[in-house]
Amino acid sequence: MVFEINSKANRYRALSSLTKLGACLILQMMVLSVAAQEQPNFIFILTDDQQYGLMGCTGNEIVKTPNLDKLAADGVLFTNAHVTSAICTPSRASILTSQFERKHGVNFNSGTSMSEEGWANTYPMVMRENGYYTGWIGKNHVPVGDGGYGSGIMEKSFDYWYAGHGHLRFYPKEVHDIFKEAKFDTQAEVINEGVQDFLSNEQKMEGAVKFIDQRPSDKPFMLSVCFNLPHGAGTSSMELRDSDDEIYRSLYRDQEIPLPENYVAKADITTPKLPLEIHHTEDRQASYDWVDTPEKYKERTIRQMQAMTGIDRLVGLLRETLKKQKLNKNTIIVFTSDHGLFGGQFGLGGKALCYEVTTHVPMIIHNPKAKKQNRNKTSNALVQTIDLAPTILSLAGITAPKSYQGKDLSSILKQEESTVRDYLYTENLWSTSFGNPRCEAVQDMEWKYIRYYKNESPSATQQIATAKAMNIPTKNLLYQVYDKQLALYRSFVEGPLQGEPAVHEELYNLKNDPQEVTNLIDEASNRAVLQKMREVWKKEIKFARGNEVPKVLRYTADSEAERGVAIEPK
């Protein structure tokens, strides 16, 4: 706009026009600010190795989780939620990308990191691109960029970063420098310090990586809070120090801890759950030996419950802070776990299988803007953790990338639909020296079909013996992934799609046998069901794989040696 100021009248008209223009600009800015805050904030809480029944609201009568129980009562509790892969890295990558592992291609044994192109389509990055202020606190277990965990990509991707790559242990300050200045020593409390700092208007946390000094009030936020609890890396490193909160020293120690249904001590195993040529149980990681005796099981279970009560306290404090800051009516809270864990059922320990114990996880979505009649609900719909990213984006009014494979659960949250899929697919591609077989499963509300493949992985027991005899660090033999394993992993992905036969199959009636005790694969009366589930498997594995080349980069001991870097297994 051009003004000619040649007279008193012209000067008045010019001043009047400028005043109106300024008022319009201020009004426009106010409208934009209000529109931004009409978009909900999100807090996504992810636990580690939390089996379904570790909260009061999921049936545990011993553990104290009043805040999580209240969160479920204020929202929707999904009672039939499952992961896609029951092991940390691929499951977390699936949550981020809303893709099955067969499509995203990242696992401990894949020899890959997620490329920047793949990372750009994860839910935090899509939200940041659409105006959200983003934060990540706690644990990251997905390598991203050229150089994986050492690339610095994740640290630069968030407006607020207070996290460590890999395990945090119970005392994070002892393994990650970023937490050194925290006031507390224990994991849940250190993470809570970060959460409270993120939500504050000042953000003074020493060590946190941030690009501005305070969270902008005119932007909605997306905060991911990721624990390394009740994972064994955390619970096994608990030391009952005098400085630990009373929760971690004495809680539950006066309780009778029952053994899980179908528990079998190692000394009492007569018939393994799976054939030994498929599941090499003698090579299982030593970190799962706590399942071998009732005494060890009870001690670890006490620690897991203590960790859950610590996490629960954080959830309570978080909700109090949201209320004090008047953010509670516009902040959606999502809670789930990356997978479950065996505790000696059938004599098994660990995860990375397709049984309910490992794939079934808690899932809660609390939307304060939901109608009253749509809260305090439970849903037994077949849902998966890959559904969370498209659901979050939908609730934020953001279009999900076409690469997403999960379902938007908004219709279930609104009670408009009761289901989003007829069949659910899970898989395990982590078949390494530690004995786990490759497997896939499909299930509906009644039946589950699982198929297993030939297991020719080298023995961890033999490798450990060789390492000791040759004075070689055992980590080098057991955990390092080399270039030659890239092709092996790709064969794991593509083999079943190209006709690789299953060497063992299982069929369970989940309605009559939810613990998956009796394999009905050889029952003649179930032939039609078996044939149907095999056909469903063909369809689901093709969908899981997709047609695109995985958006990954080479990330092996060889690739990093070329840079003069040694990978430290995470």
Side-chain angles (χ1 to χ4, degrees):
M1 189 179 294
V2 178
F3 298 100
E4 295 181 3
I5 307 178
N6 296 320
S7 66
K8 193 172 182 179
N10 283 339
R11 285 197 300 272
Y12 175 80
R13 284 194 294 270
L15 182 61
S16 177
S17 297
L18 285 170
T19 301
K20 289 177 182 178
L21 179 63
C24 287
L25 288 171
I26 291 170
L27 181 62
Q28 187 176 20
M29 289 172 67
M30 288 173 64
V31 169
L32 288 172
S33 178
V34 170
Q37 276 307 291
E38 284 179 351
Q39 279 187 290
N41 305 306
F42 292 87
I43 298 177
F44 183 9
I45 303 170
L46 182 67
T47 59
D48 200 343
D49 276 20
Q50 182 192 341
Q51 53 267 45
Y52 180 79
L54 259 183
M55 301 188 298
C57 60
T58 57
N60 193 306
E61 296 180 357
I62 301 175
V63 71
K64 298 176 181 178
T65 53
N67 296 297
L68 287 165
D69 300 344
K70 180 69 165 58
L71 187 71
D74 290 343
V76 177
L77 171 65
F78 291 88
T79 59
N80 205 359
H82 293 256
V83 298
T84 51
S85 300
I87 188 166
C88 300
T89 289
S91 177
R92 289 168 183 251
S94 290
I95 291 169
L96 284 163
T97 61
S98 185
Q99 295 177 1
F100 291 94
E101 181 190 341
R102 253 188 175 77
K103 183 172 183 179
H104 68 62
V106 181
N107 200 328
F108 293 106
N109 61 321
S110 64
T112 57
S113 63
M114 190 183 298
S115 70
E116 289 190 59
E117 183 183 2
W119 176 241
N121 277 337
T122 59
Y123 77 83
M125 295 303 95
V126 173
M127 297 185 82
R128 192 182 191 202
E129 184 67 22
N130 281 271
Y132 270 77
Y133 179 80
T134 57
W136 188 284
I137 297 172
K139 171 186 174 180
N140 169 53
H141 219 160
V142 178
V144 176
D146 204 5
Y149 294 111
S151 72
I153 296 297
M154 285 196 74
E155 291 88 332
K156 298 172 185 174
S157 294
F158 292 90
D159 299 298
Y160 186 100
W161 171 268
Y162 190 58
H165 299 297
H167 293 305
L168 304 187
R169 310 291 176 186
F170 193 66
Y171 305 102
K173 293 195 286 189
E174 297 177 4
V175 288
H176 293 283
D177 288 342
I178 195 169
F179 303 120
K180 291 287 187 186
E181 299 304 319
K183 295 176 183 176
F184 291 89
D185 296 326
T186 48
Q187 185 187 140
E189 287 61 45
V190 170
I191 289 176
N192 181 60
E193 288 184 59
V195 170
Q196 296 298 325
D197 187 55
F198 176 89
L199 293 174
S200 76
N201 293 320
E202 295 182 339
Q203 295 188 343
K204 293 181 177 180
M205 194 77 191
E206 290 292 329
V209 178
K210 47 190 182 290
F211 296 97
I212 53 178
D213 289 332
Q214 64 183 53
R215 180 176 56 79
S217 59
D218 61 343
K219 273 189 172 187
F221 65 79
M222 170 74 235
L223 174 62
S224 298
V225 182
C226 303
F227 289 92
N228 188 202
L229 289 170
H231 191 289
T235 51
S236 68
S237 58
M238 296 169 77
E239 296 180 357
L240 283 71
R241 298 176 182 177
D242 291 341
S243 59
D244 291 354
D245 190 278
E246 193 65 29
I247 286 175
Y248 309 121
R249 290 188 287 124
S250 63
L251 193 60
Y252 308 120
R253 293 197 172 278
D254 59 346
Q255 298 280 320
E256 281 293 322
I257 308 298
L259 294 170
E261 195 172 349
N262 304 306
Y263 175 84
V264 182
K266 183 177 181 180
D268 297 330
I269 297 172
T270 55
T271 304
K273 179 65 171 170
L274 287 167
L276 292 178
E277 64 270 19
I278 296 172
H279 190 198
H280 306 162
T281 52
E282 73 279 5
D283 291 320
R284 188 187 69 199
Q285 287 166 298
S287 57
Y288 300 120
D289 288 352
W290 59 269
V291 307
D292 290 346
T293 68
E295 295 74 24
K296 290 179 180 179
Y297 166 81
K298 291 177 181 180
E299 174 60 29
R300 181 57 61 87
T301 300
I302 286 170
R303 294 181 178 208
Q304 290 176 344
M305 292 192 297
Q306 290 173 339
M308 286 307 305
T309 298
I311 291 169
D312 181 81
R313 180 168 61 182
L314 178 146
V315 171
L317 293 170
L318 181 155
R319 295 192 74 184
E320 283 180 15
T321 300
L322 290 175
K323 189 173 183 178
K324 286 177 184 176
Q325 296 198 16
K326 298 182 179 180
L327 296 168
N328 57 310
K329 294 183 180 180
N330 195 38
T331 301
I332 294 172
I333 301 175
V334 179
F335 179 92
T336 193
S337 178
D338 61 354
H339 50 74
L341 188 70
F342 269 105
Q345 297 93 327
F346 312 110
L348 296 174
K351 51 237 182 183
L353 291 166
C354 291
Y355 293 121
E356 295 290 292
V357 175
T358 58
T359 67
H360 187 200
V361 293
M363 183 187 289
I364 300 168
I365 300 179
H366 162 58
N367 183 359
K369 288 190 171 182
K371 294 179 180 178
K372 190 174 181 180
Q373 64 264 33
N374 295 335
R375 299 184 212 167
N376 195 15
K377 298 291 183 180
T378 60
S379 168
N380 71 340
L382 290 169
V383 301
Q384 294 191 269
T385 48
I386 55 168
D387 299 335
L388 291 173
T391 302
I392 289 169
L393 292 181
S394 174
L395 292 170
I398 299 171
T399 302
K402 293 181 180 179
S403 58
Y404 282 17
Q405 293 178 302
K407 304 286 187 180
D408 177 5
L409 304 180
S410 297
S411 61
I412 293 180
L413 296 174
K414 296 175 184 176
Q415 308 296 310
E416 295 172 351
E417 292 183 297
S418 60
T419 184
V420 290
R421 59 168 59 80
D422 295 323
Y423 298 97
L424 186 145
Y425 171 86
T426 56
E427 61 188 357
N428 176 57
L429 296 170
W430 186 73
S431 185
T432 69
S433 303
F434 295 114
N436 286 58
R438 289 176 290 139
C439 52
E440 300 121 15
V442 289
Q443 65 192 84
D444 58 18
M445 297 297 286
E446 183 174 5
W447 293 95
K448 179 189 275 190
Y449 166 65
I450 313 176
R451 53 193 287 131
Y452 299 84
Y453 300 92
K454 200 171 186 178
N455 187 351
E456 297 178 312
S457 297
S459 166
T461 304
Q462 294 175 7
Q463 289 182 317
I464 291 170
T466 301
K468 288 180 178 178
M470 301 297 292
N471 198 27
I472 302 170
T474 55
K475 277 188 175 182
N476 289 358
L477 288 179
L478 295 175
Y479 292 99
Q480 294 288 17
V481 179
Y482 297 89
D483 283 350
K484 65 179 182 180
Q485 289 162 271
L486 286 161
L488 177 63
Y489 176 79
R490 294 314 308 168
S491 74
F492 288 177
V493 170
E494 306 294 351
L497 291 155
Q498 297 170 353
E500 181 182 5
V503 297
H504 184 69
E505 296 172 294
E506 292 173 317
L507 183 68
Y508 294 101
N509 187 312
L510 295 175
K511 190 171 286 187
N512 299 329
D513 180 21
Q515 305 299 321
E516 298 169 307
V517 176
T518 306
N519 182 9
L520 302 174
I521 199 74
D522 294 324
E523 294 286 335
S525 59
N526 296 324
R527 287 283 180 251
V529 172
L530 176 59
Q531 184 57 37
K532 175 187 173 184
M533 296 305 276
R534 282 172 174 163
E535 291 300 317
V536 170
W537 165 81
K538 287 181 183 177
K539 179 181 177 182
E540 294 297 325
I541 193 173
K542 286 179 182 176
F543 175 75
R545 174 60 188 88
N547 299 315
E548 301 87 356
V549 175
K551 291 179 170 53
V552 295
L553 301 170
R554 173 181 169 231
Y555 181 50
T556 64
D558 299 311
S559 69
E560 299 315 287
E562 291 171 7
R563 306 171 190 269
V565 176
I567 291 182
E568 181 65 28
K570 302 294 186 183

